[in-house]
Amino acid sequence: MKFGIVVNEGPYQHQSSDSAYLFCKAAIEKGHEVWRVFFYHDGVNNASKLTEPPQDDRHIVNRWSKLNEEHGVDLVVCVAAALRRGIQEENLAKGFRISGLGQLVEAGVKTDRLVVFGD
Amino acid sequence: MSDVKKFMFVNRKAPHGTIYALESLEVVLITAAFDQDVSLVFLDDGVYQLKKGQQTKGIATKNFSPAYRALEGYDIEKLFVEKESMEARGLNEQDLLVDVTVLGSAEMGELMDRQDVVLSF
Amino acid sequence: MLHIINKSPLTNSALDSCLRVAQSGDILLIEDAVYAAASGNAFEGKMREAMGRFKIYVLLPDLEARGLADSIITGVSPVDYGGFVDLTATNKNCQSWL
């Protein structure tokens, strides 16, 4: 099955990034495809390469980048939400791309299930 | 994208206190531009998004409430408000900015069941 | 339909609203909503009532994280993230009650 995921909250502040990531991992382990993760609202902060958590904590941003690298998951950051919050091409972590809201609609149209994580 | 799916946007949050209502509206407009079947649902505090007479000058934020009136121009005509949520807030249809279809909880639940994609903000 | 809830029923109306509006289907409790799956709190009566209409699941890792893994209300089924994925796949659609 083909999954689309929406993440609406920033990393570390809210559990939704963790829940979404663990869902993606489990889906891939079960042989499903995670076609796209769309980051909206404060979720765009998941894409900041300036993120530096303490060493004993999980690195939420790098975890997403790895998901892109190893499983080809398309990581899309909403442009309007990103610009509002200071996320731009120059501070975008590896594997993420900035694009329009149409990519969210496309995820709804082209996947079998769209699962939303947020507050 | 030739496939048309039934998209439902569930708004359960009040406007202004958080950005969800405004950013939800942005997705709704884009979805309609993609020629999808769009329904908007207002539940719980989401009903307050449609309250007439919102004035945001004093809080120095954008008053996006007139945008609900513009939805019709984007062929978004399926706006549903849950009766129980509206009544619990002491509101009636005359208090709302736009024409809506008022549904009871059970009818609303059935409508949700029939959707392909449900997005809530 | 799969209804996903992530708020404690003691501070937020998401689960209450879901129980009022949705008529049947599966409910999955994740994040702070897992408190609804624990026995002994003020919401337990409503949960027991809801079980007549819904099949209720709880995300076990979230319950464990909150120290409540041994107080699941009888009849609520614990699942892991794989089970969460299965629930989204077996239901024809899903909704997160944010």
Side-chain angles (χ1 to χ4, degrees), chain C residues 3 5-6 9-10 23 25 38 42 52 55 57-60 68 72-73 78 83 89 94-96:
Chain C
H3 300 275
I5 313 284
N6 74 337
L10 302 168
Q23 300 305 299
K55 176 89 183 98
Y57 300 86
V58 62
L59 192 61
L60 189 60
L68 288 164
I72 304 181
I73 298 173
C94 65
Q95 168 171 199
S96 298

Side-chain angles (χ1 to χ4, degrees), chain A residues 51-97:
Chain A
T51 306
E52 273 183 54
Q55 278 201 337
D56 60 350
D57 201 355
R58 69 228 187 272
H59 198 305
I60 295 182
V61 177
N62 289 356
R63 230 165 40 176
W64 287 123
S65 296
K66 217 172 136 199
L67 213 55
N68 165 268
E69 194 185 325
E70 291 175 359
H71 303 283
V73 177
D74 190 17
L75 307 174
V76 182
V77 180
C78 168
V79 60
L83 293 179
R84 256 187 199 125
R85 294 166 176 86
I87 300 290
Q88 304 198 359
E89 292 292 345
E90 56 259 44
N91 59 342
L92 207 58
K94 214 174 134 212
F96 289 85
R97 62 189 182 92

Side-chain angles (χ1 to χ4, degrees), chain C residues 26-37:
Chain C
D26 291 343
I27 293 178
L28 172 65
L29 306 166
I30 69 167
E31 300 174 0
D32 285 350
V34 299
Y35 291 114

